[in-house]
């Protein structure tokens, strides 16, 4: 191949050199906004709200206040949407506001080793960047830090070439909030993902049961109420763990320290005492009295190798992590999903590459969950829902790898039927697969904990399903007894021409239970309770149907109405071998429930079914 003349090669090199320049972070993400979750106008709304809500929740928890978060999404033009997120957090000091919202990779949490929703300092500033790219409009921020301080209003954009904030306007204003922050972002988008947006808010409410969300979506209003009045204890930052450190990080720490090696190891790392630090020094062949700044490159490598070899206890997870807890997970799910069964597990804390983490899981079954199709999968990381890339997530892979058929569930890859599975990974460093934080990478230690939690819950679900099947079998038998014996009695009475015999005592003796029967005939509803259980305490009969039972004999002790359904309650004490009956006009249907007596001592039969 012919060579170019030397003078021509020199000209080309000079031309190339003139074209080369540094690229700012803002400029990079302007051309690669898909990396941050702004790959489409549809997804842009959810990503923006997610980043703003994450910041609001983190701020409220750091200030130890119960979060009250207001979210507004309104269409302002043919394809323009205005998003407002307002919180009651501690607010932001005015001089910091431009940098928080107008500079990518600027934040307070990146260098801290503790559980937080936001870590990189990209999210909300990326939304500001996306707004000025699509609409050209600045982001409006109002913040107030206390009752004695004035609120400040900013109009902010980002200088793309330098990744610096561009404050178009700043003024002090009156604001009715004592403290908090309000962000208004306007950009081109669509509301094609309205359902997914509401799902995100619903799921966020499930794993943040201490927060209240008020949402205005055009002309509709939604409220996701808190179920806990307890303020979450904010995680405390810890020192890096020796087993999770790399050479580059160690070099930076060495340069910044003026301590002796022994003190550097004890004070700079988690769970390293004087005895452990001395063992590290001995293995590295270094004296503990050496100044760390004087360590050569080879000595630093030897020290790092010794730090990895010496056994060090896992980091203190109770300080730096904030798991939700089994009780609050159950309450959060009960608030948003009506299910027959729900159980939760919080696994013991564990560690991967020196990073502490906790896996929590829950499983729900039945109720109003869809009876067909795959199970509902809820994935969370540090209390944040993961809404996209479900197939690329380690959580989904773990759920698929569990043999759900052994727990009495159908399975086609994922389990199928009226099932909900929740998995939450809390860590100081969640291993996401990308900057958009949509999926968790397949770390073996995390996958192991997820599978163990799911298997434990699967065993509990299997027990529930087995009991339910036995109860259904017993109910079917009871229905057969209660339906067939009276018919046999009627036929026998007709044949022998004798009066009809009351068969209730026979039914009771056969089953030795309190039998509750509901039947409808000729526009009359009859509920009859026959007590052959030996129990003589107070019993409550709940009848829920479209009938108001206004003419009931005896009258109900309590009646309430919701969505056209009337809940009627009768309270009574039925002596052993006695019966109680109520009659009213109606069409029947609905459900009947008996409370106040153990399940194994009662049988409820709806003869209309």
């Amino acid at each position: 191949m012919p060579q170019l003349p030397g003078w021509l090669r020199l000209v080309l090199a000079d031309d190339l050199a003139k074209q080369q320049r540094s690229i700012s972070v803002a400029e990079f993400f302007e051309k690669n906004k898909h990396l941050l979750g702004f790959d489409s106008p549809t997804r842009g709304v959810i990503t923006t709200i997610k980043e703003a809500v994450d910041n609001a929740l983190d701020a409220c928890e750091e200030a130890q206040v119960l979060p009250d978060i207001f979210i507004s999404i309104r269409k302002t033009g043919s394809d323009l949407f205005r998003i407002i997120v307002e919180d009651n957090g501690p607010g932001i000091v005015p001089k910091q506001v431009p940098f928080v919202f107008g500079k990518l990779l600027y934040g307070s949490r990146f260098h801290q080793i503790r559980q937080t929703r936001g870590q990189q300092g990209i999210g909300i500033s990326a939304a500001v960047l996306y707004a000025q790219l699509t609409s050209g409009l600045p982001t409006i921020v109002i913040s107030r830090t206390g009752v004695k301080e004035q609120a400040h209003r900013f109009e902010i954009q980002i200088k793309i070439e330098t990744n610096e904030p561009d404050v178009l306007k700043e003024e002090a204003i009156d604001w009715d909030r004592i403290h908090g922050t309000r962000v208004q972002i306007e950009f081109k988008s669509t509301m094609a993902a309205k359902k997914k947006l509401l799902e995100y808010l619903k799921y966020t409410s499930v794993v943040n049961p201490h927060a209240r969300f008020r949402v205005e979506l055009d002309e509709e209003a939604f409220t996701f109420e808190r179920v806990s009045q307890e303020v979450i204890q904010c995680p405390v930052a810890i020192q890096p763990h020796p087993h999770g450190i790399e050479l580059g990080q160690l070099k930076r720490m060495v340069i910044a320290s003026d301590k002796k090696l022994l003190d550097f190891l004890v004070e700079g790392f988690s769970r390293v005492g004087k005895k452990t630090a001395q063992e590290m020094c001995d293995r590295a062949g270094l004296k503990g009295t050496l100044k760390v700044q004087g360590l050569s490159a080879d000595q630093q490598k030897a020290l790092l190798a010794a730090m990895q070899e010496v056994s060090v206890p896992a980091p203190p997870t109770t300080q730096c992590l904030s798991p939700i807890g089994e009780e609050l997970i159950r309450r959060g799910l009960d608030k948003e999903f009506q299910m027959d069964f729900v159980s939760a597990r919080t696994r013991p804390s564990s560690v991967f590459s020196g990073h502490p983490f906790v896996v929590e899981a829950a499983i729900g079954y039945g109720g109003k969950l869809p009876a067909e199709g795959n199970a509902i999968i809820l994935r969370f990381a540090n209390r944040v829902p993961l809404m996209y890339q479900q197939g690329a997530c380690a959580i989904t892979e773990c759920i698929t790898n569990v043999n759900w058929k052994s727990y009495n569930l159908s399975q086609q890859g994922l389990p199928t039927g009226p099932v909900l599975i929740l998995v939450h990974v809390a860590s100081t460093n969640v291993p996401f697969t990308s900057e958009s934080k949509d999926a968790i990478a397949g770390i073996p230690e995390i996958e192991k904990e997820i599978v163990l939690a799911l298997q434990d819950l699967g065993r509990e679900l299997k027990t529930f399903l087995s009991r339910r099947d036995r109860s259904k079998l017993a109910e079917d038998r009871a229905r057969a007894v209660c339906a067939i014996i009276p018919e046999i009695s009627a036929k026998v009475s007709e044949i022998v021409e004798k009066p009809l015999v009351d068969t209730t005592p026979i039914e009771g003796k056969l089953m030795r239970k309190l039998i509750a029967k509901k039947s409808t005939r000729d526009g009359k509803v009859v509920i009859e309770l026959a007590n052959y259980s030996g129990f003589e305490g107070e019993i409550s009969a709940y009848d829920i149907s479209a009938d108001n039972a206004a003419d009931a004999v005896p009258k109900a002790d309590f009646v309430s109405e919701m969505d056209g359904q009337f809940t009627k309650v009768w309270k009574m004490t039925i002596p052993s071998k006695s019966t109680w009956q109520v009659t009213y006009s109606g069409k029947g249907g609905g459900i009947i429930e008996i409370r106040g007596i153990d399940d194994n001592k009662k049988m409820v039969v709806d003869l209309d079914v």
Side-chain angles (χ1 to χ4, degrees):
M1 188 173 179
Q3 293 283 329
L4 291 173
W7 63 270
L8 183 56
R9 291 199 302 271
L10 184 60
V11 170
L12 288 172
D14 287 341
D15 288 342
L16 290 172
K18 292 175 183 177
Q19 295 174 28
Q20 292 171 345
R21 64 181 181 86
S22 63
I23 304 168
S24 79
V25 175
E27 198 171 1
F28 172 80
F29 283 121
E30 180 186 36
K31 293 187 177 181
N32 296 278
K33 52 185 177 292
H34 61 280
L35 295 176
L36 303 177
F38 293 93
D39 49 350
S40 69
T42 300
R43 190 174 170 187
V45 173
I46 297 177
T47 302
T48 298
I49 290 175
K50 173 181 174 293
E51 298 297 347
V53 168
D54 286 354
N55 287 354
L57 288 169
D58 275 337
C60 288
E61 286 170 16
E62 287 173 7
Q64 292 290 281
V65 297
L66 288 171
D68 269 313
I69 298 175
F70 169 75
I71 301 158
S72 172
I73 306 105
R74 291 192 179 276
K75 192 172 185 179
T76 59
S78 59
D79 56 354
L80 275 180
F81 284 82
R82 177 182 297 152
I83 294 173
I84 297 172
V85 178
E86 184 179 312
D87 66 62
N88 62 328
I92 304 170
V93 175
K95 67 178 182 180
Q96 292 294 103
V97 170
F99 297 100
V100 171
F101 294 91
K103 186 180 179 73
L104 281 86
L105 292 178
Y106 184 90
S108 61
R109 305 181 186 109
F110 183 78
H111 298 95
Q112 297 184 12
I113 303 178
R114 65 186 179 100
Q115 176 187 333
T116 56
R117 295 172 181 82
Q119 291 179 335
Q120 302 160 338
I122 292 179
I124 196 64
S125 50
V128 175
L129 177 64
Y130 186 68
Q132 72 184 62
L133 283 175
T134 58
S135 71
L137 297 172
T139 293
I140 298 173
V141 181
I142 301 174
S143 186
R144 187 178 184 184
T145 57
V147 66
K148 296 182 180 179
E149 304 294 333
Q150 265 198 301
H152 285 256
R153 182 183 182 276
F154 295 83
E155 293 184 14
I156 300 171
Q157 288 191 329
I158 298 175
K159 296 177 183 176
I160 303 297
E161 298 79 11
T162 60
N163 186 36
E164 292 295 329
D166 183 11
V167 180
L168 306 181
K169 187 177 181 181
E170 178 186 353
E171 59 182 337
I173 63 168
D174 292 327
W175 194 31
D176 56 359
R177 275 201 184 271
I178 298 174
H179 52 77
T181 304
R182 176 188 174 99
V183 186
Q184 178 180 307
I185 302 178
E186 204 161 334
F187 53 75
K188 287 187 177 182
S189 188
T190 71
M191 281 310 296
K194 177 181 176 180
K195 181 181 177 183
K196 205 164 189 72
L197 171 61
L198 291 174
E199 282 180 353
Y200 160 74
L201 293 169
K202 180 178 181 178
Y203 300 161
T204 302
S205 176
V206 167
V207 291
N208 295 278
H210 64 304
R212 178 191 293 119
F213 300 93
R214 291 180 296 116
V215 185
E216 290 183 0
L217 184 51
D218 283 332
E219 301 303 320
E220 295 182 276
F222 307 88
T223 299
F224 299 92
E225 195 57 67
R226 65 169 60 95
V227 294
S228 171
Q229 299 295 326
E230 184 177 345
V231 177
I232 288 180
Q233 194 65 37
C234 189
V236 178
I238 61 171
Q239 299 289 0
H241 194 270
H243 293 175
I245 199 168
E246 295 175 328
L247 184 60
Q249 186 180 357
L250 179 62
K251 283 184 176 181
R252 291 199 306 274
M253 293 177 69
V254 164
I255 293 170
S257 176
D258 60 355
K259 292 183 171 60
K260 295 178 180 179
L261 180 55
L262 202 66
D263 295 333
F264 169 75
L265 292 171
V266 172
E267 297 175 23
F269 294 92
S270 174
R271 291 294 178 92
V272 176
K274 287 188 176 181
K275 184 179 178 181
T276 304
Q278 187 60 56
E279 186 179 351
M280 291 176 179
C281 293
D282 294 342
R283 290 204 183 194
L286 301 171
K287 291 184 178 180
T289 54
L290 286 173
K291 284 277 190 179
V292 291
Q293 283 185 344
L295 294 178
S296 66
D298 289 338
Q299 288 175 324
Q300 290 176 14
K301 290 179 181 178
L303 176 61
L304 181 65
M307 291 168 67
Q308 306 303 314
E309 292 171 4
V310 174
S311 177
V312 181
T317 54
T318 54
Q319 288 180 250
C320 60
L321 297 182
S322 176
I324 306 163
E326 296 177 3
E327 174 62 23
L328 287 180
I329 290 176
R330 285 193 296 268
R331 286 164 63 182
L333 286 172
D334 282 337
K335 177 172 68 78
E336 299 298 338
F337 300 91
Q338 288 75 50
M339 297 177 287
D340 297 331
F341 168 86
V342 61
S343 183
R345 281 289 179 281
T346 298
R347 290 284 302 165
S349 58
S350 190
V351 178
F352 76 93
S353 301
H355 305 295
F357 72 94
V358 168
V359 166
E360 299 182 285
I363 192 164
Y365 186 88
K368 294 187 177 181
L369 295 177
E372 304 293 332
N374 288 335
I376 296 173
I377 307 298
L378 307 185
R379 300 172 296 129
F380 300 90
N382 287 355
R383 296 178 182 259
V384 178
L386 308 180
M387 301 299 294
Y388 294 93
Q389 297 185 28
Q390 178 173 295
C393 186
I395 291 175
T396 308
E397 183 70 17
C398 291
I399 294 172
T400 303
N401 290 339
V402 172
N403 181 13
W404 293 101
K405 291 180 180 178
S406 64
Y407 304 119
N408 295 349
L409 289 179
S410 300
Q411 184 173 11
Q412 294 175 350
L414 291 172
T416 59
V419 185
L420 178 149
I421 298 173
L422 177 153
V423 176
H424 173 229
V425 178
S427 178
T428 58
N429 182 26
V430 177
F432 292 111
T433 58
S434 68
E435 295 87 345
S436 60
K437 300 184 288 186
D438 288 320
I440 294 175
I443 305 298
E445 294 89 340
I446 294 178
E447 291 179 328
K448 176 187 174 184
E449 289 298 314
I450 292 173
V451 170
L452 288 173
L454 294 175
Q455 288 174 336
D456 195 11
L457 290 168
R459 286 188 288 271
E460 208 170 314
L461 176 61
K462 182 179 180 180
T463 301
F464 165 78
L465 292 175
S466 298
R467 287 176 181 169
R468 187 200 62 170
D469 291 343
R470 287 197 298 271
S471 297
K472 187 177 184 302
L473 181 60
E475 186 177 327
D476 289 343
R477 288 172 178 167
R479 184 175 290 109
V481 168
C482 294
I484 294 171
I485 288 182
E487 288 187 15
I488 293 173
S489 174
K491 289 292 183 184
V492 171
S493 298
E494 183 182 336
I495 292 169
V496 300
E497 298 181 348
K498 295 286 186 179
L500 187 63
V501 176
D502 181 12
T503 59
T504 302
I506 301 172
E507 299 165 12
K509 287 175 182 178
L510 283 172
M511 287 179 279
R512 295 187 180 89
K513 296 176 183 287
L514 183 142
I515 303 166
K517 293 190 291 185
K518 181 179 179 181
S519 61
T520 307
R521 185 173 296 176
D522 299 330
K524 288 289 184 182
V525 179
V526 178
I527 300 174
E528 183 178 88
L529 276 62
N531 186 9
Y532 288 90
S533 66
F535 178 82
E536 295 193 0
E538 185 177 75
I539 296 168
S540 298
Y542 287 73
D543 178 26
I544 305 172
S545 69
D547 301 324
N548 61 17
D551 62 346
V553 180
K555 291 284 186 184
D557 295 290
F558 174 80
V559 179
S560 67
E561 186 268 340
M562 181 178 289
D563 299 330
Q565 294 291 304
F566 293 86
T567 299
K568 291 85 66 179
V569 183
W570 290 269
K571 295 182 179 181
M572 78 294 292
T573 299
I574 309 173
S576 182
K577 299 181 182 180
S578 300
T579 61
W580 175 93
Q581 188 180 90
V582 61
T583 305
Y584 61 82
S585 301
K587 296 179 180 179
I591 61 173
I592 180 172
E593 184 178 343
I594 306 300
R595 299 180 188 175
I597 182 172
D598 292 342
D599 289 343
N600 60 355
K601 291 184 178 182
K602 66 184 179 184
M603 182 62 62
V604 180
V605 181
D606 190 341
L607 296 174
D608 296 333
V609 177

